[in-house]
Amino acid sequence: MHECFMIDEIATAIFNYVLDNGSCKADVLSCALTCREISEIALDVLWFTQLSLVPLFLTIPEVRAFSDHSSAKDEKGQVTLPEFKDASTLTWERTLKYASRIRRLWHDPNVPATFSNAPPVEVIASALGRCPVEHLMSNLVHFHSGAVYSMKSSPLFYPHISLLASPSIRKLSVKVFKPPHAVKTVTTFLKTCPELENVDIAINFIDDDGLLLDRQILDPLTSLRKLTVLRLVCPDSLSDEDWNSSEPAPEGGLAELRRITMDVDSLAPAMALLSSISSPELTSLTINSKQGTGDSLRRLLSRFKDVSFNVRNVQTLKLNLSLRMGVGRGHTNEGATIGDCLGLLAFRGLRVVHLQLPLELTDDAFADFAGAWPQIEEFSFSSNNSSFSKLTLRGLTVIPSSWPRLRYLTLGKVDCQTDVPSVEVARTAAGERKEAGEALKLFLSIQSPIDPKNVNDVADFLMALFPGISFQHFGAGFAGSGGQASRTWQKVHDVINGTGSGEGRHRI
């Protein structure tokens, strides 16, 4: 054997290289069976990442004996449970040794983790009930529930879910579908794993009582002191009307959170979590909601100035908020205006902003954004409101002096009929900051047709305001604009990019 294999780090790197470059695990297993000196290292590499727990359970002799499904069922098709020996260390010694090698229990949707000799879930559950330790995988760092997907559907498996939760886990990815085990599964891991740094929770069901996201999950979640990345996807049980009646969130939680993403129905859980964040290190905030009300939207936008985390350190802000409409449901979008977005001005360090709101952007509001966020590199605003836009081309003149670092600008609706400023206005706004528009990629959507005679005027204005822009258009911004809008804006696009019938002097 080569001397390099005597150094654990080098041997581990070699075996990992073999696995990462298309070789199968059988090659590393052959190495483990060939030389005793490197056997332990090869086995550590083989067991480090597992896509399923089936191989681990098959190391239990009694479980392996029932790996043949047909022989494990009686005449009525019922699974015959094995007669396990007493839960002694001798019975579990081999299994626990392999379990201690597992660091990453992962799920890859592109790699089907199927086993022809997989034992029935009933047999696995029976075996887990006799496990002599509190945590099966004592060194586990990353747990993904997809690795036990085939077992999660059995009610016999859930009483033993705590065996899979280890205090050593740093990253948790849990997706649950069926009540009543969802809340128990999530809370078991949150309470057992105080060292969690990265959490991804997806709850994809609505039960009869509407119980989905409540304090059973929020309290242990917000008490995690070392959590830095959080992604929460679920319908919720806290309604917008319950904000004032809900209990206050625990203080001091989420003290190290850096990135948070929430995909929720109503805005209530978003507010509950925001009230729990005390981290001065939060740099990215994303909220997606499609069942809010006008009043809840207004309160969320105005609440940012009262949160306990340092909003000045947030660099990325993404809000995709839609309202739950319909008179029959008692929800309208009354009460929410673009003026409510003034609460966002507290975020002074923003570099990337994506806003999709049921509000119309105005020239004054756009100027407020430009003045409050001087570090902007990427800005996007689109409205899912069907009304006409109040943002005009003249409103864009604040960009060169306010956002010298801007590289990507996306605006969902711009009114180009009301006022087409002259080239002199654009040059005055650009001033000496000619570099302001360098490499700028501009994306515009229009709400109404442009007068064909204004095509060159619009193109000249945009080129003077943003030297060096790469211009794209989305086409018609609303159904009534028709094909004429797309055709005229295509001409603007062609003129700016130097391929149209206009002066065509601008080239990227």
Side-chain angles (χ1 to χ4, degrees), residues 110-370:
N110 299 319
V111 180
T114 57
F115 297 86
S116 58
N117 60 341
V121 177
E122 294 85 349
V123 175
I124 294 177
S126 181
L128 289 176
R130 291 164 172 79
C131 183
V133 296
E134 184 178 1
H135 306 292
L136 181 61
M137 295 167 286
S138 57
N139 296 316
L140 189 65
V141 176
H142 184 182
F143 176 86
H144 195 297
S145 62
V148 294
Y149 175 78
S150 60
M151 291 174 263
K152 290 189 303 178
S153 60
S154 174
L156 298 175
F157 182 75
Y158 276 94
H160 311 293
I161 196 71
S162 60
L163 285 172
L164 307 183
S166 172
S168 61
I169 295 178
R170 299 292 188 275
K171 185 175 182 180
L172 174 66
S173 302
V174 178
K175 180 180 291 186
V176 287
F177 294 90
K178 297 181 180 181
H181 311 295
V183 173
K184 180 180 179 181
T185 300
V186 175
T187 56
T188 296
F189 278 92
L190 294 180
K191 293 178 179 179
T192 309
C193 312
E195 304 296 318
L196 281 171
E197 299 173 357
N198 189 315
V199 173
D200 186 340
I201 300 176
I203 302 178
N204 299 326
F205 67 83
I206 299 177
D207 64 12
D208 295 337
D209 298 326
L211 179 61
L212 292 170
L213 177 64
D214 58 11
R215 287 297 173 185
Q216 295 183 65
I217 295 179
L218 284 179
D219 284 346
L221 180 62
T222 54
S223 65
L224 296 174
R225 303 282 178 169
K226 297 185 179 181
L227 190 64
T228 59
V229 179
L230 171 62
R231 179 175 178 264
L232 179 65
V233 181
C234 73
D236 52 89
S237 59
L238 293 175
S239 65
D240 294 331
E241 293 76 11
D242 289 335
W243 278 3
N244 295 329
S245 60
S246 60
E247 299 177 3
E251 297 181 358
L254 303 179
E256 297 186 14
L257 194 64
R258 289 179 174 84
R259 301 198 308 272
I260 181 171
T261 300
M262 291 179 279
D263 292 323
V264 293
D265 272 358
S266 75
L267 295 174
M271 280 306 308
L273 281 176
L274 290 176
S275 301
S276 307
I277 301 174
S278 60
S279 171
E281 305 297 329
L282 187 68
T283 60
S284 178
L285 173 62
T286 301
I287 303 177
N288 301 313
S289 174
K290 56 184 178 182
Q291 295 291 333
T293 65
D295 183 61
S296 64
L297 174 63
R298 177 177 54 79
R299 286 194 286 172
L300 174 66
L301 294 175
S302 62
R303 186 71 177 271
F304 283 115
K305 62 179 181 294
D306 299 325
V307 294
S308 56
F309 61 87
N310 189 352
V311 295
R312 291 179 177 270
N313 288 339
V314 178
Q315 298 180 10
T316 300
L317 177 65
K318 299 181 181 181
L319 301 178
N320 183 358
L321 310 178
S322 301
L323 300 183
R324 179 167 53 181
M325 304 296 292
V327 178
R329 295 182 178 181
H331 296 280
T332 67
N333 59 349
E334 295 179 359
T337 66
I338 193 64
D340 297 320
C341 291
L342 294 179
L344 301 179
L345 301 183
F347 293 88
R348 293 290 179 173
L350 290 175
R351 297 178 181 271
V352 177
V353 175
H354 291 180
L355 301 176
Q356 184 170 341
L357 305 172
L359 308 172
E360 291 301 334
L361 186 60
T362 63
D363 288 352
D364 291 340
F366 189 72
D368 290 335
F369 292 156

Side-chain angles (χ1 to χ4, degrees), residues 69-83:
H69 288 214
S70 60
S71 63
K73 296 181 180 180
D74 58 21
E75 297 178 353
K76 297 182 179 180
Q78 300 296 322
V79 174
T80 304
L81 296 180
E83 296 181 0

Side-chain angles (χ1 to χ4, degrees), residues 92-113:
W92 283 86
E93 181 179 4
R94 182 187 180 201
T95 300
L96 295 178
K97 186 175 182 179
Y98 287 137
S100 66
R101 301 179 190 270
I102 301 177
R103 301 292 195 277
R104 189 167 177 256
L105 193 60
W106 182 241
H107 171 65
D108 187 347
N110 299 319
V111 180

